Amino acid sequence: MALFTPARSLSSAARPDPRQTDEMLEPGTRPPGSGRVYATERRVRLSDMDADGRVRLDAVARFLQDAAIDDVEETGWGIPEHLWVIRKIRVDVVAPLLRDRSVAIATWCSGVAAIAAGRRWSVRGDAGGHVEIDSVWIHLGPDQRPARIGDFGPYGLAAAGRAVSTRLTLPDPPADSGRVPWALRSTDLDANGHVNNAVYWQAVEDWCAREGTDVSSPHQAELDYRDPIDLGDPVELASFKGSDDGRYLAFVVGEQVKAVASVAPIT
């Protein structure tokens, strides 16, 4: 719950219990009545907005990252003893942040598994914007290997017995899908030397603009993280249509799919 770095592939010994649920929380879910809920605020700056003043998905991701880091620093569940790497995230933009210039953020633990936990955020803007986010993270110990969580204290109390799964669900691109290069910059890397989560959302934002996806209306965005992307990787973006008629964007290095994103309207 501290760093937005994609989780590396899990060994079979570290895979979650298949009985765990794959469902994310519904947008209307309220913060828990017991357990830890961390609240903070962020000002919206010029670099957070698109040309129309909408707060972009990559800016929202940075807000979430900051809130998570501040939270675990208070409780002692952050680095160096605990490292959290992101596995998957769903962003429900219930009301786009179109004219909002400050946001209130509440975050709490939404579920627990043996080596993973869920983190939920609720974001409310000062002009009526509303975004609900749920995610699943792998827990690593100081040796950066998957580690059992054990007693999760106030976070476990907030989860209220809900389980999470690390299973990914977004599809692979077809072999014949068109690809375009995606240039990386040294400033895209985080402290772990991998491309930061917010940078993936920059590519998604650009893809939405090129595809004509309406992100000024309510929409749901998802990202499945499979393996980290490093600065020297020759990344290509593959845009494709799934068997469910959904539109997807894959981050591909050679024949390896590093991540997959989707954006669809909320109806």
Side-chain angles (χ1 to χ4, degrees):
M1 297 182 190
L3 295 180
F4 273 53
T5 297
R8 293 193 180 277
S9 297
L10 298 177
S11 68
S12 58
R15 296 191 187 281
D17 187 330
R19 295 171 295 178
Q20 295 166 354
T21 179
D22 292 312
E23 296 180 357
M24 295 291 193
L25 296 180
E26 292 303 315
T29 302
R30 300 178 62 83
S34 59
R36 181 176 175 84
V37 178
Y38 180 79
T40 186
E41 294 184 358
R42 289 292 185 274
R43 289 283 303 278
V44 175
R45 305 297 185 180
L46 181 64
S47 60
D48 301 324
M49 299 180 284
D50 67 7
D52 296 321
R54 176 185 59 88
V55 181
R56 301 186 314 271
L57 289 168
D58 58 293
V60 172
R62 290 195 301 272
F63 296 162
L64 307 181
Q65 175 175 270
D66 290 346
I69 291 173
D70 291 347
D71 181 17
V72 296
E73 283 184 349
E74 279 195 5
T75 63
W77 274 90
I79 54 178
E81 294 301 317
H82 306 275
L83 178 65
W84 297 92
V85 289
I86 192 166
R87 184 66 169 168
K88 58 183 177 180
I89 187 169
R90 191 190 81 186
V91 181
D92 290 334
V93 183
V94 181
L97 300 163
L98 301 177
R99 293 173 297 278
D100 306 86
R101 295 300 172 259
S102 69
V103 294
I105 304 168
T107 182
W108 63 94
C109 179
S110 58
V112 180
I115 61 163
R119 178 177 282 277
R120 179 68 184 261
W121 294 265
S122 182
V123 179
R124 298 276 184 169
D126 62 347
H130 177 200
V131 185
E132 295 288 328
I133 306 96
D134 208 2
S135 59
V136 176
W137 301 72
I138 308 295
H139 176 240
L140 308 181
D143 59 357
Q144 297 194 8
R145 295 178 60 83
R148 294 186 66 86
I149 293 176
D151 181 11
F152 209 18
Y155 290 117
L157 186 61
R162 180 176 181 267
V164 296
S165 169
T166 58
R167 189 174 73 89
L168 302 179
T169 58
L170 299 184
D172 285 341
D176 59 353
S177 59
R179 299 184 182 184
V180 296
W182 185 44
L184 296 177
R185 305 159 297 181
S186 60
T187 52
D188 294 334
L189 304 186
D190 60 22
N192 284 340
H194 304 305
V195 173
N196 187 263
N197 172 69
V199 176
Y200 291 77
W201 289 112
Q202 292 175 3
V204 173
E205 281 277 349
D206 186 63
W207 170 61
C208 288
R210 295 178 184 277
E211 292 274 316
T213 303
D214 182 11
V215 285
S216 64
S217 298
H219 58 280
Q220 181 180 98
E222 295 183 78
L223 256 170
D224 279 357
Y225 298 91
R226 303 186 181 186
D227 281 294
I229 294 176
D230 298 321
L231 182 60
D233 289 341
V235 184
E236 295 179 300
L237 302 178
S239 179
F240 64 100
K241 188 176 183 179
S243 59
D244 58 354
D245 289 333
R247 297 296 301 178
Y248 298 92
L249 180 69
F251 297 73
V252 184
V253 176
E255 299 304 314
Q256 185 177 19
V257 179
K258 296 282 190 172
V260 183
S262 71
V263 177
I266 294 177
T267 56

